[in-house]
Amino acid sequence: MWALKSKLGNQGRQRGVAVVECIIVLPVVLFIMLAVAEVANAILTYNKLTQTVRDASRYISAEAGAGSGIVQLTDEKIARTVNLVIYGKITAGGATVLPNLDPSKVAVTLANDDDVSVAVTYDYLPLFAPAIPGIGGARMNGSGFQMNTEIIMRVL
């Protein structure tokens, strides 16, 4: 009888140790999973931003020369290029390519005589920063950090 009682006592202690180990390890594992998700989201966002700027740069490089050999950036061409960055199409309206993508932070300029430049500054807000005040939301004042990308292409 004593041997049976002793065995049951050890099993109860083992379950208690397993619970303590789980309590210690679980927050670390969750933090690592959230960090990986955050980094993956930031990389995907930057990739989407760069892809959009590349498409807009390709568009304006074809439109700026328009086969005439003279590079011209008219207000209409610049507006269409900005719309292409913001909405993914040359007309304004609809859903933006990225949330909170601001048209005032898109610059379309002549880099030199033969090149056009499309540059964008995007305020990236991390997924979990607003939910965890001490980690990002309060420290960054809700603005996250900036992603900058610029593509320069030769006018066609």
Side-chain angles (χ1 to χ4, degrees), residues 53-70:
V53 172
R54 188 178 302 119
D55 291 343
S57 184
R58 190 174 297 118
Y59 170 79
I60 194 64
S61 71
E63 290 293 317
S68 66
I70 300 169

Side-chain angles (χ1 to χ4, degrees), residues 31-86:
F31 177 77
I32 290 170
M33 287 175 48
L34 292 177
V36 167
E38 191 66 65
V39 169
N41 185 56
I43 290 170
L44 288 173
T45 300
Y46 186 74
N47 186 37
K48 183 67 174 173
L49 181 66
T50 303
Q51 177 185 0
T52 303
V53 172
R54 188 178 302 119
D55 291 343
S57 184
R58 190 174 297 118
Y59 170 79
I60 194 64
S61 71
E63 290 293 317
S68 66
I70 300 169
V71 178
Q72 295 177 343
L73 286 181
T74 63
D75 290 339
E76 181 183 353
K77 291 176 184 177
I78 291 173
R80 286 181 181 172
T81 304
V82 170
N83 288 338
L84 193 55
V85 171
I86 301 297

Side-chain angles (χ1 to χ4, degrees), residues 84-108:
L84 193 55
V85 171
I86 301 297
Y87 303 107
K89 55 186 181 177
I90 60 171
T91 56
T96 58
V97 173
L98 292 171
N100 304 320
L101 191 54
D102 188 5
S104 67
K105 295 191 176 184
V106 178
V108 180

Side-chain angles (χ1 to χ4, degrees), residues 73-149:
L73 286 181
T74 63
D75 290 339
E76 181 183 353
K77 291 176 184 177
I78 291 173
R80 286 181 181 172
T81 304
V82 170
N83 288 338
L84 193 55
V85 171
I86 301 297
Y87 303 107
K89 55 186 181 177
I90 60 171
T91 56
T96 58
V97 173
L98 292 171
N100 304 320
L101 191 54
D102 188 5
S104 67
K105 295 191 176 184
V106 178
V108 180
T109 58
L110 285 173
N112 55 39
D113 292 339
D114 295 351
D115 299 334
V116 289
S117 168
V118 179
V120 177
T121 300
Y122 177 65
D123 292 324
Y124 175 76
L125 184 62
L127 290 172
F128 303 109
I132 307 172
I135 293 191
R139 186 179 70 226
M140 292 189 237
N141 295 325
S143 63
F145 59 89
Q146 290 185 340
M147 292 182 170
N148 300 310
T149 186

